[in-house]
Amino acid sequence: MGIQSWTYCFGGDLFKKKVLAIILCRNNSSRLRNKLKLKIDKKTCFEYSFERLKKCKNIDDYIIATSNNKNDDYFVNFAKKNKVKFFRGSEKNVLIRMVGAYKSLAKNFDIIVRGNSDNTLIMPNIIDLDIIDFAKSKSDFFSPFNNNKIPFGYSLTLFKSNRLVELSKRKLNKKYSEHIDNYFLDNDKKFKILKNGIKKKYHCPNLFLTLDTKFDYERIKFYSKKLKKIPLKNQALRLIKIFNKNK
């Protein structure tokens, strides 16, 4: 059951928040080509990340957003096989692809989760906490990657959906169309930005879990093996303990 079943009272008004995860994925990575097809425990990194994201309790729906490049047919085939919604759009303009995916759905959503597929070890319980904080705060934007306190890759960026739609109507330069976070951060006086307020017990900014290089891949495989028998709700704290022990 998602967060839409909860009610919030802001100044006497009743709100219901609906949350969509847009799962961004493509194979044409310059640093580690086809990285999302690399295997972890007999699953591709893409499958591994997707299955973890699906464990979030406060996300109501999911859509895979990949590019029109033939090399990305893999993600479309995965979506069809698993009966997941999908959208194909610009390879480089991430903003237009995200908004295209959002608009392709018949229903509206209040909050968009940017599901970076190269965050292989995302923690569903942390994402759920961030969604709750974001919904309560009525913010426009939240990024766990900006001045991160929790491990880099535990959580995901959140947007108010109407803000993304507004931005897609503007002619933004490449810096912003590829890396949407930068626009919000560079124009922080125009937006309400939620600061990372997650509990201190989860603070561990030196733990990096994004898949960009071969070294990252080996590290993620090591950690995933360590977490294999640990209940999902306990993995966030256990991984921090493992990291601190092995420093």
Side-chain angles (χ1 to χ4, degrees):
M1 182 179 293
I3 203 170
Q4 84 279 8
S5 62
W6 298 17
T7 55
Y8 301 96
C9 191
F10 300 120
D13 295 323
L14 196 64
F15 290 80
K16 291 185 179 180
K17 304 296 182 184
K18 293 183 67 177
V19 184
L20 171 70
I22 299 178
I23 302 161
L24 296 171
C25 48
R26 65 187 183 98
N27 277 316
N28 195 21
S29 173
S30 57
R31 283 180 285 185
L32 185 59
R33 197 167 182 82
N34 293 326
K35 63 184 181 180
L36 296 180
K37 289 184 178 180
L38 296 173
K39 293 291 184 72
I40 294 179
D41 196 23
K42 298 181 181 180
K43 299 174 184 176
T44 66
C45 287
F46 174 76
E47 292 174 298
Y48 198 89
S49 176
F50 178 77
E51 288 182 9
R52 292 180 72 86
L53 186 62
K54 286 281 286 183
K55 298 289 177 63
C56 289
K57 296 177 181 178
N58 290 336
I59 295 177
D60 300 296
D61 207 351
Y62 302 80
I63 183 168
I64 291 172
T66 191
S67 83
N68 289 314
N69 192 317
K70 185 170 178 57
N71 195 34
D72 290 329
D73 287 351
Y74 162 77
F75 304 109
V76 174
N77 293 334
F78 173 89
K80 290 177 178 178
K81 181 180 177 181
N82 292 278
K83 297 181 180 179
V84 181
K85 302 175 187 70
F86 70 90
F87 175 83
R88 303 191 83 160
S90 171
E91 182 176 9
K92 298 294 185 182
N93 195 321
V94 177
L95 173 60
I96 294 299
R97 193 182 347 145
M98 285 186 69
V99 172
Y102 168 75
K103 287 184 173 181
S104 72
L105 302 176
K107 50 190 174 182
N108 293 321
F109 293 85
D110 305 287
I111 296 170
I112 291 176
V113 180
R114 189 186 67 190
N116 302 58
S117 296
D118 52 6
N119 290 334
T120 317
L121 284 174
I122 50 175
M123 298 293 171
N125 57 322
I126 302 295
I127 295 170
D128 281 334
L129 288 172
D130 284 337
I131 290 172
I132 291 169
D133 287 344
F134 189 78
K136 287 180 178 179
S137 70
K138 296 198 291 185
S139 295
D140 298 312
F141 168 78
F142 163 73
S143 173
F145 308 106
N146 178 47
N147 297 320
N148 63 298
K149 294 180 180 179
I150 65 171
F152 197 98
Y154 262 24
S155 192
L156 296 166
T157 302
L158 307 174
F159 301 93
K160 188 180 283 186
S161 60
N162 59 3
R163 288 299 197 182
L164 277 190
V165 173
E166 289 169 9
L167 283 184
S168 70
K169 297 175 182 177
R170 305 180 190 180
K171 192 174 174 98
L172 303 182
N173 62 36
K174 184 179 178 182
K175 171 187 175 183
Y176 296 136
S177 61
E178 281 193 61
H179 304 286
I180 312 164
D181 294 27
N182 290 337
Y183 187 85
F184 285 88
L185 295 172
D186 291 348
N187 296 275
D188 58 344
K189 289 184 171 53
K190 296 180 181 179
F191 303 103
K192 183 176 181 181
I193 298 177
L194 177 65
K195 306 298 182 184
N196 193 342
I198 207 82
K199 291 181 179 180
K200 286 187 177 180
K201 65 181 180 180
Y202 294 111
H203 288 188
C204 188
N206 294 323
L207 176 53
F208 188 90
L209 296 167
T210 295
L211 179 60
D212 284 323
T213 66
K214 182 70 174 175
F215 179 79
D216 295 336
Y217 173 55
E218 296 300 332
R219 174 173 49 200
I220 289 169
K221 280 200 301 181
F222 170 80
Y223 286 138
S224 63
K225 187 175 181 180
K226 292 285 187 181
L227 295 175
K228 193 170 183 178
K229 295 182 180 180
I230 307 299
L232 195 61
K233 65 180 181 179
N234 299 331
Q235 288 185 6
L237 286 176
R238 181 62 63 89
L239 186 50
I240 290 171
K241 289 179 181 178
I242 293 170
F243 171 76
N244 287 329
K245 184 178 178 180
N246 288 279
K247 282 196 297 186

